[in-house]
Amino acid sequence: MSASGSASRSPGGFSGVLWRLAYRRAVRAAFARVPFYRDQWVRAGRELGEPEPTPSADLAGQLHRLCPFGAPYDAGAEPSLWIGPAADLRAALRTVGVRGRAPVLEVGPAVLDRRALGPFRRYGVLLAAGAKVRNERRRRELNEPALRLAADAGRVVLVGERAAVAEFLPALAGIETRVLIRGNLNADGELVHDPHLGYYAARAGCGHLHLLWRRFHARTTADGTPAVTALRRRRPVLVDVVPDGAATLGRCPVHGAPTLGVLP
């Protein structure tokens, strides 16, 4: 069943009609302002009602074309825009039921200039083995502030791929630790992450994989694959991106919200 077919609001506030309208606004803005999508009209020789679905892997190296004409990307003056907004991770944490003010440590490839995910939740990055740093000593030095956050709070939420998370568990011994495994659609974890979309789905307490629908839209393409749109992202603009992993789009029988079902 299509996730956008309901006109009424679900118990969690989801409205298929309003969701679809948000998607249409994103499509209009993409075609009007963004070279990557405007060029699809040029190739088609006509105006398109919806963008051509684009595999996420094909977006690598396209930042300069995915930003609006009026706000171009300047690689020499700003960091990579593939660093997802903190609000996406906050939404994913809420979906899996993370409450309280425990700091969040995210295993990542590089240190971020981000110290909080919101007014009451501290944030840090841990660099796993193999991160691009000068040497192992420097990696430990860079990880120390994040580990100190956890030690000072006495509790922590640790986010990352399964193998990378396991590396840091000994350093967090004696600290109350909630582990959230991050992966693509085919991975067995709590948070679904794509290199370009960022965090866009999470497993709720009901056991279903919820799309973060307040921030993302998904529609089923002609070949049956969900294409995902970042509704609130302005740079880069991401419309109808097909993430890694085969999935189906449905509705949660408990919450009425859009879900992703992973194909066997």
Side-chain angles (χ1 to χ4, degrees):
M1 179 174 61
S2 170
S4 59
S6 173
S8 61
R9 289 184 182 272
S10 71
F14 173 74
S15 165
V17 170
L18 296 179
W19 198 48
R20 178 71 178 176
L21 288 174
Y23 168 70
R24 295 310 310 170
R25 287 193 295 270
V27 168
R28 288 194 297 271
F31 280 138
R33 304 170 187 168
V34 183
F36 184 88
Y37 301 101
R38 192 74 174 191
D39 287 350
Q40 293 185 3
W41 280 8
V42 175
R43 291 194 299 271
R46 60 184 177 85
E47 293 187 5
L48 301 174
E50 293 174 328
E52 301 166 4
T54 304
S56 176
D58 292 352
L59 297 181
Q62 294 293 327
L63 275 178
H64 62 293
R65 297 178 62 231
L66 287 164
C67 288
F69 295 109
Y73 174 62
D74 185 350
E78 57 187 320
S80 172
L81 300 181
W82 296 130
I83 300 171
D88 289 355
L89 180 52
R90 288 202 307 270
L93 294 175
R94 285 195 301 270
T95 299
V96 300
V98 170
R99 300 289 184 266
R101 300 184 181 183
V104 174
L105 302 187
E106 184 178 18
V107 182
V111 174
L112 297 184
D113 185 18
R114 178 182 291 164
R115 298 292 177 265
L117 289 181
F120 304 114
R121 193 180 292 280
R122 301 294 302 279
Y123 172 87
V125 171
L126 291 171
L127 301 178
K132 294 182 179 180
V133 292
R134 185 168 60 247
N135 51 44
E136 178 60 19
R137 178 180 177 181
R138 180 55 177 160
R139 184 175 77 96
R140 289 197 299 268
E141 290 174 351
L142 292 172
N143 285 341
E144 181 57 32
L147 293 173
R148 195 180 310 120
L149 272 181
D152 290 345
R155 53 184 178 162
V156 70
V157 178
L158 181 62
V159 177
E161 282 77 19
R162 191 176 301 278
V165 162
E167 174 189 340
F168 291 101
L169 292 180
L172 296 170
I175 297 171
E176 181 184 336
T177 303
R178 177 167 182 181
V179 174
L180 295 176
I181 302 301
R182 174 184 67 212
N184 63 23
L185 273 171
N186 291 334
D188 181 19
E190 291 82 12
L191 306 182
V192 180
H193 184 271
D194 177 86
H196 300 114
L197 289 166
Y199 292 98
Y200 67 96
R203 195 169 303 281
C206 61
H208 295 279
L209 201 59
H210 282 214
L211 186 78
L212 305 180
W213 60 266
R214 289 181 173 85
R215 307 190 62 81
F216 294 90
H217 179 275
R219 70 178 181 92
T220 301
T221 63
D223 64 0
T225 303
V228 179
T229 294
L231 295 173
R232 304 188 185 187
R233 201 81 59 88
R234 300 294 179 262
R235 296 176 72 247
V237 175
L238 303 173
V239 180
D240 282 352
V241 177
V242 180
D244 291 339
T248 58
L249 182 62
R251 290 283 292 274
C252 176
V254 178
H255 300 94
T259 59
L260 294 169
V262 180
L263 295 177

